[in-house]
Amino acid sequence: MKEKVLGVIGGMGPKATAVFFDRVIEKTEAHKDQEHIDMIILNHASIPDRTQSILEHTEDEFLREVEKDIQLLEMANVGQIAIPCNTSHYFYDRMQEMTTVPIINMVEQTVSQIYELHGEGIKVGLLATNGTISSRVYEKECNKKGLNLYIPDEQMQKEVMSIIYDDVKGNQNTDPTRLEGIVKQLIEKEQCQCVILACTELSCIPIGEEIAPYCIDAMEVLVDRVIERSGKKKINL
């Protein structure tokens, strides 16, 4: 298979983009520099907030900025594009219409992996931004696969948003205590069989071995697909 140059539209947020980059490197089977994936990463940190764009119906401003990024990546002759931001996938169809370069659909791939692991009918918890939840992108994909998606109540969702915006984006605090507590509640109280970490800021938090088996990290799914579709071999960490 011909190796493809990967284009990354990042900066949503910058720390999550850095973690994504590190994980692609860590999980690619390579013994020298030349065996790694060639990447062009646009750390577009000033791009409008995705949740705000969805909730305030200002998506055109976001899409204009994304289109500039896509044009830059096209000029660089990338073979595929990854966007390590779950909320941005609300705009997936419109973004893909802007280019013939395949954009990996992180949401679709994540739900497909859950279905492959567990089959239909299971209860799946969703930890994501308000924008991702209101966009219903995960709900729609879960419905296609016959998965029962559980959305956190208002109090839990406020806690999730605080972890994303205050802890990780605001203070770069990746203490796993709060996130692990929420996952435990979803598993033990709400009887979810697994929980989707559907925000790349949550992917920056190193959760413990007790909790990890119950979590499906959307960023990890994207990393795996990037490696596979770049013609490289993946290391199972």
Side-chain angles (χ1 to χ4, degrees):
M1 181 186 297
K2 183 179 179 181
E3 296 175 6
K4 297 179 180 180
V5 176
L6 173 67
V8 180
I9 301 177
M12 300 181 273
K15 185 174 183 63
T17 302
V19 170
F20 171 78
F21 183 33
D22 281 343
R23 291 192 184 173
V24 172
I25 293 169
E26 290 165 0
K27 296 187 78 172
T28 301
E29 185 177 292
H31 305 284
K32 58 183 179 180
D33 294 346
Q34 292 75 21
E35 294 178 351
H36 280 282
I37 297 170
D38 289 330
M39 295 188 218
I40 296 172
I41 301 174
L42 303 177
N43 191 52
H44 195 165
S46 63
I47 201 165
D49 183 88
R50 284 62 60 200
T51 291
Q52 185 176 344
S53 296
I54 293 169
L55 298 180
E56 298 182 3
H57 306 289
T58 56
E59 49 267 276
D60 287 347
E61 182 182 355
F62 171 79
L63 288 166
R64 281 194 297 270
E65 294 301 311
V66 167
E67 188 167 22
K68 295 175 186 176
D69 294 337
I70 289 173
Q71 289 170 350
L72 284 171
L73 294 175
E74 284 180 327
M75 287 189 286
N77 294 316
V78 301
Q80 59 178 338
I81 295 173
I83 307 176
C85 171
N86 287 269
T87 311
S88 70
H89 282 65
Y90 171 69
F91 309 103
Y92 177 83
D93 290 339
R94 294 178 69 179
M95 293 188 293
Q96 186 61 82
E97 288 172 0
M98 296 174 183
T99 181
T100 57
V101 179
I103 301 173
I104 301 172
N105 191 324
M106 176 164 57
V107 174
E108 180 183 48
Q109 293 297 318
T110 298
V111 175
S112 292
Q113 182 159 312
I114 294 171
Y115 178 77
E116 290 169 8
L117 289 171
H118 300 284
E120 64 181 22
I122 70 161
K123 189 175 182 180
V124 181
L126 180 68
L127 298 182
T129 64
N130 291 346
T132 297
I133 290 173
S134 68
S135 73
R136 299 180 60 222
V137 289
Y138 274 98
E139 182 181 346
K140 291 173 183 175
E141 288 298 328
C142 284
N143 287 342
K144 291 178 186 177
K145 299 292 187 182
L147 305 177
N148 300 315
L149 190 67
Y150 177 80
I151 305 296
D153 61 24
E154 184 177 355
Q155 182 178 353
M156 181 181 287
Q157 185 58 27
K158 284 182 179 178
E159 182 78 359
V160 173
M161 287 291 284
S162 177
I163 293 170
I164 293 168
Y165 279 89
D166 299 332
D167 288 0
V168 183
K169 285 183 181 290
N171 300 312
Q172 297 192 42
N173 172 20
T174 58
D175 183 337
T177 306
R178 296 174 75 189
L179 177 58
E180 289 181 343
I182 290 172
V183 173
K184 283 183 180 179
Q185 186 174 342
L186 290 174
I187 298 299
E188 296 171 2
K189 182 180 178 181
E190 305 301 337
Q191 300 298 302
C192 294
Q193 277 81 27
C194 73
V195 176
I196 305 173
L197 302 183
C199 176
T200 49
E201 268 66 42
L202 299 179
S203 305
C204 299
I205 300 172
I207 55 177
E209 292 182 1
E210 179 186 357
I211 297 299
Y214 296 99
C215 295
I216 299 292
D217 186 343
M219 180 190 283
E220 289 293 344
V221 175
L222 181 62
V223 167
D224 290 347
R225 297 301 175 272
V226 159
I227 295 169
E228 292 165 4
R229 297 181 184 190
S230 296
K232 300 290 186 180
K233 291 184 179 180
K234 178 171 63 74
I235 298 172
N236 294 316
L237 300 178

